[in-house]
Amino acid sequence: FTEPAEDGGGDCHCYETMVFCGYDTFTHDADILSEDLEPAAPINLRVLAGSGTDDNGGDDDDDQAKSDRNDDDEEKSSAEEDGELPVTGVDPTLKYTLWSAGKVGEDTGKSGENIVQSKCGRDGKTGPEMNKCTDWHDLRDFLASNFFKHYPTLERDLVEHRRKRLLDAGAIDEGYDGDTAEWTIVGLTQRSYRRAWLNLQGIIDKCNESFENTICVEVNVEKTKSPLEQLVLHRSLDALAGVHGAQLTQAVLLPPNAHVLEMLPWVTDYIRGKWVQTTHTTTPLGVIFHNTDLNHLGYSLDRDSVPLCEGVEEAELQVCFMKSRKKFLWENRDFNVDPRAVLDYIGKFVLRNTQEKTQPCKEMEASLGDRFVLYNVHCTRDGNKVGVNHFYHDKPRRASNKGKAAKLNEPRVK
């Protein structure tokens, strides 16, 4: 992803190419549900010129793909299928999906050998060696340096988009003529097909009545129509929050020193998916925020986030869940979030750590409960010296098969 694709326009000057570098493109019927997605047919990247990508359905983790190959036959799927479609432009009856074709830190030579370029890949080092990784920081710098070259009016576009968001929320009136810098805009990610955030609107309403000069807005990349629209959508935010998944990769488009909250799905020990609950090191997704200027936090969801088998006694939950195993898999199920988690995150972290002010590390670490993990944060040590820090949990977090996770305000486990 940090290196231009061979067929992607040489040095990757334009944003459309940059954002698609390192990806293969596939198509499937526009009206198909992601949970029913069959193996897709590859199509040349050039068909995406001037179009959007409606779904990131082929997402999330290489680990998941490895696990899927060992799953039941009915759940096995492949990201490739023989046969190319002709390059004749965008077909409105198809949905275009990006599937990851490579990893930062790794490349494949002409003879098929694996070439290790750095320690920043998902299967790279952990601990002190991983902390030396700077590839994703370099990627952020590379992208940012090209945004304004490719879109000369981007600064004005961002102010206009923020102003429209504030007008739509009733936070300002038509007479407002400021640059919106005094406002904090928090994006909450929504997905149209699977992993939909069921109580999103209720949380937006609570957010918009709880804080001064702060609003929450829905962010759904599946409704965008162009790379520019996706860039403006994310670059105009101060923070982005959503469940673990491909939609959060768009956080690389956020402005400098922005915030990312990754919600970790509730996964029991009798179903696959433990890798999406990682708290003792960065998540497979979170590695792209490691050592960047972004503040990346995680939040562990609990049983109440799962809208299945409601009202069933705890002793019967496993049987109930496994009767609907495909729907129970974390990557397929919709979810709810305790509104207090989002409000705590905004009030105790986002609004206390801005371009103008940063919390001391000790204060920051103690500000949120045990269900939060501070993967990559910027805080002050030794007076006013600001630096990047990683406050992981000492042990991997495990969801209780029956009860709830730790309470929101319980102290962090050390």
Side-chain angles (χ1 to χ4, degrees):
F1 199 35
T2 54
E3 297 295 330
E6 292 183 3
D7 62 349
D11 57 358
C12 228
H13 279 309
C14 69
Y15 166 70
E16 285 89 345
T17 305
M18 285 190 297
V19 94
F20 298 145
C21 275
Y23 285 84
D24 291 333
T25 308
F26 298 88
T27 63
H28 50 89
D29 292 339
D31 58 353
I32 194 170
L33 296 179
S34 296
E35 64 185 82
D36 298 322
L37 187 64
E38 296 296 331
I43 188 169
N44 192 293
L45 184 65
R46 294 192 301 275
V47 301
L48 287 176
S51 74
T53 54
D54 294 325
D55 182 39
N56 285 318
D59 35 288
D60 291 297
D61 300 308
D62 293 342
D63 293 329
Q64 178 183 324
K66 294 173 185 175
S67 177
D68 284 346
R69 286 195 288 271
N70 297 322
D71 232 326
D72 297 335
D73 290 342
E74 65 180 14
E75 292 177 28
K76 288 182 179 178
S77 65
S78 169
E80 298 183 8
E81 186 176 85
D82 292 335
E84 281 200 22
L85 299 178
V87 183
T88 57
V90 176
D91 185 339
T93 66
L94 297 176
K95 182 181 295 178
Y96 293 85
T97 299
L98 299 182
W99 294 63
S100 178
K103 302 177 183 178
V104 167
E106 294 185 6
D107 196 7
T108 302
K110 293 182 179 179
S111 301
E113 72 274 17
N114 194 44
I115 301 173
V116 178
Q117 298 174 316
S118 76
K119 298 181 176 67
C120 296
R122 292 176 182 171
D123 298 325
K125 305 295 183 181
T126 59
E129 290 184 319
M130 179 61 179
N131 288 342
K132 296 177 183 178
C133 161
T134 62
D135 277 16
W136 292 103
H137 174 274
D138 297 341
L139 171 64
R140 284 266 297 164
D141 284 349
F142 172 69
L143 290 173
S145 69
N146 282 271
F147 290 154
F148 294 94
K149 294 178 184 177
H150 191 53
Y151 299 111
T153 64
L154 181 58
E155 197 68 52
R156 183 184 66 196
D157 296 338
L158 294 174
V159 173
E160 290 179 353
H161 185 80
R162 285 173 62 89
R163 184 176 183 276
K164 183 178 186 305
R165 286 287 203 177
L166 293 167
L167 280 169
D168 291 345
I172 60 173
D173 57 34
E174 291 287 351
Y176 176 83
D177 61 357
D179 64 1
T180 74
E182 74 275 22
W183 286 88
T184 298
I185 301 181
V186 180
L188 306 182
T189 65
Q190 183 60 287
R191 297 171 62 120
S192 300
Y193 298 101
R194 59 194 174 104
R195 270 174 281 164
W197 190 335
L198 298 177
N199 63 333
L200 178 66
Q201 188 56 52
I203 292 180
I204 289 177
D205 294 340
K206 287 182 180 294
C207 167
N208 291 349
E209 63 188 29
S210 298
F211 303 105
E212 183 178 354
N213 282 11
T214 300
I215 65 167
C216 288
V217 298
E218 178 181 319
V219 173
N220 190 336
V221 297
E222 297 172 51
K223 295 181 179 180
T224 58
K225 299 178 180 178
S226 71
L228 174 59
E229 187 175 349
Q230 289 196 25
L231 173 59
V232 172
L233 180 65
H234 292 86
R235 197 77 176 177
S236 61
L237 301 172
D238 299 287
L240 183 69
V243 73
H244 174 94
Q247 76 284 354
L248 286 184
T249 62
Q250 308 285 34
V252 300
L253 307 178
L254 291 171
N257 308 117
H259 304 275
V260 184
L261 177 62
E262 178 183 356
M263 298 175 190
L264 312 179
W266 185 74
V267 181
T268 63
D269 58 12
Y270 49 81
I271 202 77
R272 62 176 169 81
K274 289 297 183 185
W275 62 88
V276 302
Q277 294 186 308
T278 307
T279 59
H280 66 295
T281 187
T282 187
T283 61
L285 166 70
V287 71
I288 71 175
F289 310 128
H290 188 76
N291 281 346
T292 68
D293 59 302
L294 297 174
N295 290 296
H296 173 217
L297 276 66
Y299 174 77
S300 298
L301 297 172
D302 65 9
R303 163 68 183 96
D304 288 344
S305 69
V306 182
L308 299 172
C309 300
E310 295 174 298
V312 175
E313 295 292 332
E314 289 185 351
E316 303 298 324
L317 276 179
Q318 180 173 348
V319 173
C320 181
F321 285 144
M322 297 307 286
K323 284 181 178 179
S324 303
R325 186 177 186 277
K326 189 173 182 179
K327 290 183 179 179
F328 181 53
L329 290 170
W330 72 270
E331 68 265 30
N332 293 331
R333 80 168 95 105
D334 298 338
F335 67 100
N336 291 293
V337 178
D338 186 336
R340 295 173 300 168
V342 178
L343 299 182
D344 278 357
Y345 169 66
I346 296 171
K348 296 180 180 180
F349 190 86
V350 173
L351 298 181
R352 293 182 184 180
N353 298 278
T354 65
Q355 296 277 15
E356 293 75 31
K357 59 185 178 181
T358 302
Q359 285 180 290
C361 293
K362 289 185 178 180
E363 179 183 323
M364 178 182 288
E365 192 178 8
S367 63
L368 295 168
D370 182 53
R371 284 168 63 183
F372 286 92
V373 56
L374 283 58
Y375 295 117
N376 191 85
V377 295
H378 292 261
C379 53
T380 57
R381 292 187 186 273
D382 304 323
N384 294 320
K385 186 177 180 180
V386 179
V388 63
N389 291 269
H390 314 286
F391 299 112
Y392 304 127
H393 290 212
D394 285 346
K395 297 180 180 179
R397 186 176 188 84
R398 290 290 180 261
S400 168
N401 290 339
K402 296 181 180 180
K404 298 181 180 180
K407 295 179 180 179
L408 278 169
N409 57 356
E410 280 188 4
R412 291 171 50 79
V413 174
K414 297 302 296 175

